[in-house]
Amino acid sequence: MNSTSLPVASPRDERDARQDRLFRWILVATVAFVLLALASAALSMLWGGRHALLHQGISFFYSAEWNPVENKYGALAPIYGTLVTALIAMIIGVPVSFGIAFFLTEVAPRWLRTPISTAIELLAGIPSIIYGMWGLFVLVPVMSDHVTPWINDHLGKLPLIGKVFQGPPLGIGLLTAGFVLAIMVVPFISSVMREVFQTVPQRLKESAYALGSTKWEVVWDIVLPYTRSAVIGGIFLGLGRALGETMAVAFVIGNSVSLSVSLLDPGTTIAALIANDFCEAADTYRSALLLLGFLLFIVTFVVLAAARYMLLQLARKEGN
């Protein structure tokens, strides 16, 4: 009978197998540590806010009354301010970021691309408190003297949406905070867009140019469809930054815990309210602020989860 002998593993193979298993367990431990840290942070804020939740009940999430003197807390005003300022930042920041990426990849000469892209990326390293001080001392006077009166005179008289653009010419408010956030998120979104635009194969663009396409048509019909998923990911990265920004917003938003539909009225966000009041808060008030922190965590998580779901849907459609 012919017998075949199984190959015997060498000491090197056994050592490599042990190292692979060790490396795999290290990676699993790293992922588990990150998930545990996130869950611990969320649960600790929820546990710290249990007194406010028991005292206020479910009305904490939809009530607009915030009165620490009477021990009444409602999160609707800071939730509204957080979402509105982030939305304004995206409406302004996304087109500007797209224009910057378009210019740097298709229009600007090569010798100019590196200095401009470096300067824009350096904006991401400026501390947020510097943006807040600039907004307070430079942007707020401009808004008060020029922008707000013009908005009141021209947009405040529009039917249906006129109330959104009516307000006192204070210069501080939701609109100003949205402008500051837009400036802060532009470096993040434009950098992602520029990098992914450069990954488009040159042959695709040259073929489109050969057929007579303009630069705009090449970017809109070739570059954007090719990089759609990455562009959306960069936009949601900037949105996550806008939702959680604290000090820059606290300088220019007015810090008024009141609900108003006007973008020109002072307001507040979840992060700004926590930063302004946490040191002086005690008992139920501090519990309410911790519950707000948990709510901000949930809002950010939902936004990023929605971005991930959208990217998966796009990937499936592109696969089909």
Side-chain angles (χ1 to χ4, degrees):
M1 296 178 63
N2 294 328
S3 60
T4 58
S5 59
L6 296 175
V8 180
S10 65
R12 180 177 178 179
D13 293 336
E14 294 178 355
R15 184 176 64 253
D16 291 343
R18 287 196 303 268
Q19 291 177 350
D20 286 342
R21 287 193 297 268
L22 178 61
F23 183 66
R24 185 182 302 111
W25 282 111
I26 291 175
L27 292 180
V28 172
T30 303
V31 174
F33 173 76
V34 173
L35 295 177
L36 181 62
L38 290 174
S40 299
L43 293 177
S44 64
M45 287 184 291
L46 179 60
W47 179 256
R50 68 189 186 281
H51 297 298
L53 188 60
L54 292 174
H55 177 268
Q56 196 69 28
I58 198 68
S59 63
F60 177 86
F61 300 102
Y62 61 82
S63 173
E65 184 178 7
W66 188 273
N67 191 345
V69 177
E70 298 181 3
N71 231 16
K72 295 181 180 180
Y73 306 101
L76 187 59
I79 292 174
Y80 174 79
T82 301
L83 296 178
V84 168
T85 53
L87 180 61
I88 294 172
M90 291 298 102
I91 292 176
I92 299 173
V94 172
V96 172
S97 300
F98 174 76
I100 292 173
F102 182 20
F103 175 78
L104 291 177
T105 56
E106 301 296 331
V107 179
R110 292 187 179 275
W111 62 269
L112 191 60
R113 294 178 183 180
T114 301
I116 292 181
S117 60
T118 303
I120 294 173
E121 290 174 357
L122 287 176
L123 292 176
I126 298 177
S128 60
I129 193 170
I130 302 300
Y131 282 107
M133 295 173 64
W134 172 84
L136 181 63
F137 293 111
V138 178
L139 183 60
V140 168
V142 173
M143 296 289 293
S144 177
D145 297 337
H146 304 286
V147 179
T148 302
W150 186 91
I151 291 177
N152 269 307
D153 294 338
H154 295 82
L155 302 181
K157 299 178 182 180
L158 296 176
L160 299 179
I161 62 172
K163 292 183 178 180
V164 178
F165 303 103
Q166 292 177 355
L170 301 176
I172 58 175
L174 299 175
L175 183 61
T176 306
F179 272 120
V180 173
L181 286 177
I183 297 172
M184 296 182 67
V185 301
V186 161
F188 296 93
I189 303 177
S190 63
S191 296
V192 173
M193 286 187 177
R194 180 178 61 85
E195 293 296 332
V196 298
F197 284 178
Q198 291 177 345
T199 63
V200 179
Q202 191 66 25
R203 291 182 179 180
L204 290 178
K205 295 190 288 187
E206 291 175 353
S207 300
Y209 285 129
L211 293 175
S213 300
T214 62
K215 290 184 179 295
W216 170 255
E217 291 172 338
V218 168
V219 172
W220 189 257
D221 296 329
I222 303 297
V223 176
L224 270 182
Y226 190 87
T227 60
R228 184 187 298 114
S229 299
V231 168
I232 294 176
I235 292 173
F236 276 94
L237 176 66
L239 178 58
R241 171 71 188 274
L243 288 172
E245 183 52 48
T246 305
M247 294 310 300
V249 174
F251 271 85
V252 298
I253 199 170
N255 301 307
S256 173
V257 193
S258 59
L259 186 63
S260 174
V261 297
S262 175
L263 300 179
L264 307 181
D265 286 337
T268 191
T269 63
I270 296 176
L273 181 59
I274 295 173
N276 286 325
D277 295 357
F278 193 80
C279 292
E280 301 176 357
D283 300 330
T284 307
Y285 191 20
R286 174 169 292 189
S287 179
L289 294 177
L290 287 171
L291 191 58
L292 275 179
F294 173 76
L295 189 60
L296 179 60
F297 182 91
I298 295 299
V299 170
T300 307
F301 179 81
V302 169
V303 169
L304 297 180
R308 184 62 180 172
Y309 177 77
M310 185 180 300
L311 293 177
L312 288 175
Q313 293 295 109
L314 288 174
R316 290 175 182 174
K317 291 180 180 179
E318 291 172 357
N320 292 334

